[in-house]
Amino acid sequence: MNQENNVGVLRIKKTSKRMGKAKYSKYGYFFVAPFIIAFILFQLYPIIYTFVLSFTDLAGWETKLDFVGVKNYVAIVKNSHFIRALQNTWIIWVINFVPQIAIALMLAKWFTDTRIKLKGAGLFKTTFYMPNIITAASVAILFYTLFSYPVGPVNQILMKLNVLAEPFDFFRSKTGTRLIVAFIQFWMWYGSTFIVISAGILGINPSLFEAARIDGASSWQIFKKITLPLLRPITLYVLITSLVGGMQMFDIPFLLTNGAPDFAVETLTMYIYKQAFTGNRNFYVAATASIVLLVIVLLISLVIFKFMNRHNKEGVNK
């Protein structure tokens, strides 16, 4: 009799707990609701609407949508302005990302090496990260003044050092302007990349480094055989986020020269902006270019992820 009573009490308790969980779990929906609503209104709906627009001929002040099939996608891949903007975006991103990841790795290795014990590491980290918190407008004005023609500080210094015989107009040179934009991107973001990679290195089990040192491994061997392989997930994150950010590059080239000279630094997002909000307001071209950009970023991210994941599995199996 007592056993039956105990079983009954336990059942009542379990039922009460389930009811309590069910009662309070509904509040979770209230907490996530703002994010879901904001996501639907400001991200999902614009993406779907942009996708729909890419199959229409909407332009100017028209409001009626006339569907034209895949005509816009056929036209965009033959559009020389679009191709040039895509090339510019890739060139500037590659020029700034390669030295950015290399220097960030070098600094991270240096600052996390317990044998070196650098003094003032916090101050250096803050200094490296500082350009990332300066507004793009301020950075654009700063570099426009530094490289201005003919009396900018850079021109004056190069002439005093006899590197230049006469002032050089950097912003009339396609290569010069691209290098300046790429350098600004590098300067603004290498500190952030360095902090992320440093966090990744500090997350590796220190006993692995100690065991390698006891076995007589050099610093380079430890970095190559232990640090770099274990940093692959962090490197993948840095690569993907930098790629996404690089493909969306807009503020610096827009504020610095508005794409000049001869559209040398007109990026894909600048091309999309100009198509949608200037001139004939070709919304259908801007929408098509946006969807193509989205697909490019998704495909390349997927390829990078698969490539890195395969190497991780091969490393585990070895």
Side-chain angles (χ1 to χ4, degrees):
M1 190 66 180
N2 287 334
Q3 284 184 345
E4 288 179 358
N5 288 337
N6 290 335
V7 171
V9 170
L10 284 173
R11 282 179 181 169
I12 291 169
K13 284 183 177 178
K14 285 181 179 178
T15 306
S16 299
K17 280 184 179 179
R18 278 200 293 269
M19 288 178 68
K21 285 180 181 178
K23 184 180 177 182
Y24 287 108
S25 62
K26 66 180 181 183
Y27 292 108
Y29 295 109
F30 292 107
F31 286 110
V32 299
F35 168 76
I36 299 294
I37 293 169
F39 172 75
I40 292 171
L41 288 178
F42 300 111
Q43 287 188 293
L44 185 60
Y45 173 72
I47 290 173
I48 293 172
Y49 188 63
T50 302
F51 184 72
V52 173
L53 281 185
S54 69
F55 292 98
T56 70
D57 61 354
L58 187 70
W61 300 100
E62 288 289 333
T63 55
K64 185 183 175 186
L65 301 180
D66 293 322
F67 288 90
V68 296
V70 295
K71 178 184 170 185
N72 293 336
Y73 287 94
V74 175
I76 200 79
V77 295
K78 297 177 182 176
N79 188 321
S80 59
H81 293 286
F82 171 80
I83 300 297
R84 181 177 55 200
L86 184 61
Q87 288 173 341
N88 288 339
T89 307
W90 274 101
I91 289 169
I92 295 170
W93 179 73
V94 170
I95 292 174
N96 96 77
F97 181 72
V98 173
Q100 183 189 137
I101 190 76
I103 291 177
L105 275 170
M106 183 188 72
L107 289 173
K109 178 193 177 299
W110 198 22
F111 276 79
T112 55
D113 195 328
T114 53
R115 291 181 301 182
I116 296 177
K117 294 181 180 175
L118 282 174
K119 292 182 179 177
L123 176 65
F124 282 111
K125 287 178 182 177
T126 306
T127 307
F128 295 151
Y129 192 76
M130 194 72 77
N132 196 251
I133 60 176
I134 304 175
T135 61
S138 303
V139 172
I141 292 170
L142 172 67
F143 276 82
Y144 190 82
T145 307
L146 285 173
F147 288 91
S148 62
Y149 176 84
V151 291
V154 173
N155 264 317
Q156 296 298 316
I157 291 170
L158 292 177
M159 287 174 67
K160 281 187 179 177
L161 294 173
N162 294 322
V163 177
L164 293 177
E166 56 185 25
F168 181 73
D169 195 346
F170 290 95
F171 294 116
R172 286 197 175 186
S173 162
K174 293 172 71 172
T175 305
T177 310
R178 277 177 182 160
L179 288 176
I180 291 170
V181 172
F183 175 77
I184 294 173
Q185 294 291 332
F186 157 80
W187 180 68
M188 290 182 74
W189 289 100
Y190 84 99
S192 174
T193 306
F194 156 63
I195 296 293
V196 172
I197 292 175
S198 294
I201 293 176
L202 291 172
I204 298 172
N205 191 341
S207 62
L208 295 174
F209 299 122
E210 290 170 12
R213 288 190 193 109
I214 292 169
D215 288 341
S218 64
S219 293
W220 171 246
Q221 285 173 324
I222 292 172
F223 183 69
K224 186 180 174 185
K225 299 290 184 181
I226 297 175
T227 308
L228 280 182
L230 294 177
L231 268 182
R232 276 195 188 125
I234 299 293
T235 311
L236 174 65
Y237 168 78
V238 170
L239 185 56
I240 297 295
T241 52
S242 176
L243 174 69
V244 173
M247 293 300 105
Q248 296 175 350
M249 193 189 314
F250 179 85
D251 45 12
I252 293 298
F254 181 77
L255 294 167
L256 198 65
T257 64
N258 194 19
D262 194 23
F263 305 100
V265 291
E266 183 178 273
T267 60
L268 206 47
T269 48
M270 284 175 65
Y271 171 80
I272 292 168
Y273 168 79
K274 289 179 179 178
Q275 288 296 325
F277 302 111
T278 62
N280 295 328
R281 295 163 58 91
N282 297 319
F283 295 112
Y284 67 98
V285 177
T288 310
S290 300
I291 296 299
V292 171
L293 174 62
L294 176 66
V295 171
I296 289 173
V297 171
L298 282 176
L299 287 178
I300 294 174
S301 300
L302 189 64
V303 168
I304 293 172
F305 182 79
K306 289 284 184 186
F307 177 78
M308 299 283 278
N309 198 34
R310 192 181 67 185
H311 274 261
N312 279 340
K313 287 180 180 176
E314 287 176 357
V316 170
N317 294 331
K318 281 182 182 177

